[in-house]
Amino acid sequence: MKAFFVQIKCDLGKSYDVAGALADAEIASEIYSTAGDYDLLAKFYVDDDEDIGHFVNEKVQSLPGIKDTFTVVTFRAF
């Protein structure tokens, strides 16, 4: 399994709706509200053979209320 994080910028007033949609979709292992340039930080896992770009495009960015995303690919946990 590959772990990666996605910072999510939401439409104004939609952070809780987006967080709820992510939780309902059961695709994120963890979802946090954040301060700064992005509103949410979500941790995802995909199988080693799954394309992260397609996953983010099809399952994350397609959710209503998402304005922008920034994906952080991770290599190793310590």
Side-chain angles (χ1 to χ4, degrees):
M1 297 288 281
K2 296 184 283 191
F4 64 97
F5 296 84
V6 178
Q7 292 179 285
I8 301 168
K9 189 177 294 184
C10 303
D11 291 330
L12 291 177
K14 297 297 179 183
S15 297
Y16 285 89
D17 294 337
V18 172
L22 279 169
D24 290 345
E26 297 182 353
I27 57 173
S29 65
E30 300 171 47
I31 306 163
Y32 298 95
S33 59
T34 59
D37 292 334
Y38 290 87
D39 303 302
L40 301 171
L41 174 68
K43 183 177 184 181
F44 299 92
Y45 289 94
V46 294
D47 291 329
D48 289 333
D49 61 342
E50 190 167 356
D51 184 276
I52 291 172
H54 279 105
F55 179 91
V56 171
N57 184 58
E58 295 167 7
K59 297 188 178 175
V60 179
Q61 293 176 341
S62 62
L63 294 173
I66 293 180
K67 187 176 193 175
D68 192 15
T69 63
F70 182 82
T71 302
V72 178
V73 177
T74 58
F75 300 105
R76 183 176 181 174
F78 296 96

